[in-house]
Amino acid sequence: MFRRMLLSVLIRQKKKLCLIAITVALGVSLATAMLNVMFDVGDKVNQELKAYGANLNIVPKGTALVNEMYQLDNNDKQQAMQFIKEDDLVKIKMIFWAYNIVDFAPYLTTQATFNDKPITVVGTWFNKHLNIPTGDEVDTGMLAMKSWWTIEGNTMTDGNLQGVMVGETVAKQWHLKLGDSITLTSPQTNNTITLTVNNIFHSGGAEDAQLFVSLPVAQQLADKAGLVERVEVSALTTPENDLARKAAQDPNSLSRTEWDTWYCTAYISSIAYQLEELMPDVRVKAIMQVAESEGSILQKTQLLMLLLTILSLICSALAISNLVTANVIERSTEIGLLKALGATNTSVALLILTEILVIAFVGGIFGYFLGIGFAQIIGHTVFGSFIEPKMVIIPLVIIMVFLITLLGSLPALRMMMFLRPTDVLHGR
């Protein structure tokens, strides 16, 4: 009997129930889209922020200790300078969080003279192809990490040992143009090299007064074959919390459980620790301004997504409440008759709630797939990439459909319980 009454209501009230299904579908679609983006937005936002610079700086351990202990002028720093072996840099992609290392680039800075004037020459990788001992292959370098630079000319390559990227300030000072030749002399080694202007760039920083060359060229000028002085690393990280801050101060203070959690989470401090494990002769410093900004932006973005999800569910619940209440008022005579024939408030409420839940779950299914589509539109529009659907969203959608249907039906169910058969059957 209950099933027959349920089918009868679904057939007779199909237009009004379709409105409920559409309302649920719209609310669930927005919630599904926001939750999928929220769960996937961490890597997407971090990936976008990686375009604005490194968040880790690797320097020789001796240099770091000396600079921390003493206030040195530039000459003293050069004397105290130690170096990192270029061959050791592949280890950066061999840590536990290797896939979180997006890009890295080494630097070797040396002084040279051009037209009898001192000038800073920086050697680096522009777009280096590396074969990692683990079997992986990666392309990394400075150009990917300095994407905001405005560069005039053809893309600089690591194999171009005769080319040079000239900062805008230097180009204006010496009236240099693309294709011009410049001769550099090292005052320390007396090495001389003639280069061709391959690019003129604008960075908006101190780099505009410098020259950038392939790393072997700077090593030849400085007579530092196979050595670099520092490495900038851009890594995808998890926002810092109390555990990460505690570990950053003293990893040995962590309990075993805390250690495992910290080590197996992509905190910037744990990535730095793992780099120092594989490269014991270096000191890895987190650029906390960048890391904290990334964490703050990510948390605010995820909070915005969560608030939009909650708001969409509240709006759906209010709309369902109005639709179900109107449905109960329209069917008050039918409900009064059921009560007069002996139906209890519980059985009538169960009938109404069941029919609403059935149609709501139908709407929820359509809303879920619609939300997946919305998530892809957001992903391609905002991040230019695919948003991977998360399986954890499916049970969340089921819970959401049940909650918004139940909450939206409560006012109507309360009204139904106070309906008296004698009043509605007599038209009062």
Side-chain angles (χ1 to χ4, degrees), residues 299-344:
Q299 289 175 342
K300 290 177 181 178
T301 303
Q302 291 178 326
L303 178 60
L304 175 62
M305 299 290 181
L306 184 60
L307 290 176
L308 287 174
T309 300
I310 294 173
L311 183 61
S312 69
L313 296 178
I314 292 175
C315 292
S316 296
L318 291 175
I320 290 173
S321 176
N322 290 332
L323 291 171
V324 176
T325 300
N327 183 269
V328 169
I329 292 174
E330 184 178 334
R331 295 168 57 193
S332 59
T333 302
E334 175 188 343
I335 294 171
L337 181 59
L338 287 173
K339 286 188 173 184
L341 293 175
T344 64

Side-chain angles (χ1 to χ4, degrees), residues 94-107:
M94 294 170 62
I95 64 171
F96 179 81
W97 289 107
Y99 290 106
N100 282 53
I101 304 295
V102 179
D103 285 298
F104 61 95
Y107 296 92

Side-chain angles (χ1 to χ4, degrees), residues 353 357 401-411 413:
L353 194 58
L357 282 173
V401 169
F402 180 78
L403 288 179
I404 62 176
T405 303
L406 181 61
L407 293 175
S409 302
L410 287 179
L413 294 177

